[in-house]
Amino acid sequence: MPRPSTLSDYLDGLSAARRDLFARLSEEVAAIETPEEITRLVFRAGQTDHPEYDDAEVVFWKAVDQLYLQAAVSDGDLPILFWGFHTIDLLGRRHSKGVLVTDRTVYVEGVDELDPRPFSLASLGTSEVRIDGAALRIGDAAVDLAPTERVLAVDERPAVARYVSAVIDTVRGTVAVADQRVEAPATVEELVLASRLSSDFLLPSRPKNAKGIAKLAAKWKLPASERVLVSLSSATFVGVYGIAITDAALYSRDLMEDLDRTPLDEIGAITWDAEAKGFRVTPNHLAPTLPGINDDNRDYVAALLTSLVRSAAHTG
């Protein structure tokens, strides 16, 4: 499934509760006074009044795409602020460098780095955001400020650290208040649609997927009293294999093997078992992998399956 190309497209794929939180966060961060000397390099989500750039929304979304979507540590984050600039490589391609703040994570990418460094918003102290010589440091990551010399004087650099710290504090405080509210957790479908592997899963609400799910339920002889919420499976000439989650249990079957079933309330964290080369659901239940799952996303898939099971248990 292609990544969304705009902020609006991205938000449309999230739940109403997440969109409401995004609106609150955007409003709170917009109310933070931005030091005039650093406004040129500040890009807020949905900002339409940038003092320097008419394409500020494009700049912001490029940062979200490059710093978050290409290497996300969680799905459905709410991107709120990008402080940074572009570098241009030998092929003329622009790369976002700087700091991206979401409601869960702070992503930092330095000038010479190819991948962003993620820091948990909840655990990152604002004292860890500081100016150290010619660099903006966040935790043990650094952004060289040399490329900003023409628009940011040396004595103006501390304002960057103060502003980013204020944003982190504000986002963290707003999220903490939101977490205290009783809101329904994301549904299985919402979690799948927000995931990076959405197209690899079968959902009953997708007409093209419904037939595959029905075939799986028939081949595996799943109880008619259970409703299949999602499957991560594939059909071959020797049968259907993979994983299916109903409102009562997680089922899995490998090729030429018997069907395994574990009730949802008996499942804790699903993990990748490197030795057995499968997903460990319980000590006695190993679920198979599929071609779309590789070394780079196995842990991600395991965490996503865990979230799906928890959501399914709530649904049931």
Side-chain angles (χ1 to χ4, degrees), residues 41 82-87 95-99 108-113 130-138 140-154 157 160:
L41 301 178
F82 171 59
W83 179 90
F85 48 89
H86 287 157
T87 59
H95 298 273
S96 302
K97 302 295 181 179
V99 182
V108 182
E109 184 166 324
V111 174
D112 297 323
E113 294 175 333
R130 62 202 184 280
I131 297 298
D132 183 6
L136 169 65
R137 291 193 174 274
I138 296 182
D140 59 355
V143 179
D144 184 3
L145 298 178
T148 69
E149 286 180 348
R150 289 187 299 175
V151 296
L152 186 68
V154 172
R157 290 172 177 172
V160 177

Side-chain angles (χ1 to χ4, degrees), residues 26-310:
S26 298
E27 183 178 351
E28 294 288 342
V29 170
I32 299 173
E33 182 178 357
T34 307
E36 184 177 353
E37 60 268 29
I38 71 168
T39 55
R40 186 184 181 106
L41 301 178
V42 171
F43 301 88
R44 301 192 316 273
Q47 183 178 7
T48 58
D49 59 349
H50 197 281
E52 297 287 339
Y53 303 109
D54 293 335
D55 63 344
E57 292 177 277
V58 175
V59 174
F60 177 80
W61 185 250
K62 178 179 284 291
V64 174
D65 183 67
Q66 294 182 338
L67 272 65
Y68 169 58
L69 293 181
Q70 293 185 27
V73 296
S74 59
D75 288 320
D77 278 25
L78 303 174
I80 300 300
L81 176 103
F82 171 59
W83 179 90
F85 48 89
H86 287 157
T87 59
I88 302 176
D89 63 20
L90 295 176
L91 297 177
R93 296 172 299 193
R94 292 181 177 272
H95 298 273
S96 302
K97 302 295 181 179
V99 182
L100 178 71
V101 180
T102 80
D103 66 316
R104 297 170 179 152
T105 308
V106 177
Y107 292 88
V108 182
E109 184 166 324
V111 174
D112 297 323
E113 294 175 333
L114 298 178
D115 297 301
R117 294 278 304 282
F119 296 88
S120 168
L121 186 83
S123 63
L124 184 65
T126 50
S127 63
E128 296 179 80
V129 182
R130 62 202 184 280
I131 297 298
D132 183 6
L136 169 65
R137 291 193 174 274
I138 296 182
D140 59 355
V143 179
D144 184 3
L145 298 178
T148 69
E149 286 180 348
R150 289 187 299 175
V151 296
L152 186 68
V154 172
D155 61 353
E156 295 172 340
R157 290 172 177 172
V160 177
R162 290 194 298 270
Y163 177 73
V164 173
S165 293
V167 170
I168 291 174
D169 267 345
T170 297
V171 172
R172 181 164 42 214
T174 303
V175 169
V177 171
D179 285 345
Q180 294 174 4
R181 303 182 181 185
V182 179
E183 295 179 338
T187 66
V188 166
E189 180 168 314
E190 287 170 345
L191 290 170
V192 170
L193 293 177
S195 76
R196 302 202 304 272
L197 298 177
S198 174
S199 60
D200 292 284
F201 286 84
L202 301 184
L203 290 169
S205 62
R206 292 170 171 163
K208 291 183 179 180
N209 293 170
K211 184 176 180 180
I213 289 177
K215 181 177 180 180
L216 176 148
K219 292 290 186 181
W220 289 6
K221 298 180 180 179
L222 300 185
S225 59
E226 296 183 21
R227 180 165 55 96
V228 178
L229 303 177
V230 66
S231 79
L232 180 62
S233 57
S234 182
T236 71
F237 70 94
V238 293
V240 180
Y241 74 103
I243 299 168
I245 300 174
T246 73
D247 52 5
L250 182 148
Y251 293 85
S252 74
R253 179 182 180 273
D254 207 347
L255 290 174
M256 312 304 291
E257 300 290 340
D258 293 332
L259 182 69
D260 284 320
R261 179 186 190 274
T262 300
L264 298 178
D265 59 7
E266 295 181 12
I267 302 174
I270 297 174
T271 59
W272 171 253
D273 189 324
E275 184 176 352
K277 297 182 180 179
F279 293 101
R280 182 62 63 184
V281 180
T282 67
N284 298 317
H285 186 167
L286 182 74
T289 186
L290 284 93
I293 300 171
N294 52 48
D295 290 340
D296 295 330
N297 64 21
R298 283 168 181 151
D299 290 337
Y300 170 82
V301 174
L304 178 57
L305 288 172
T306 299
S307 297
L308 293 175
V309 165
R310 291 172 180 167

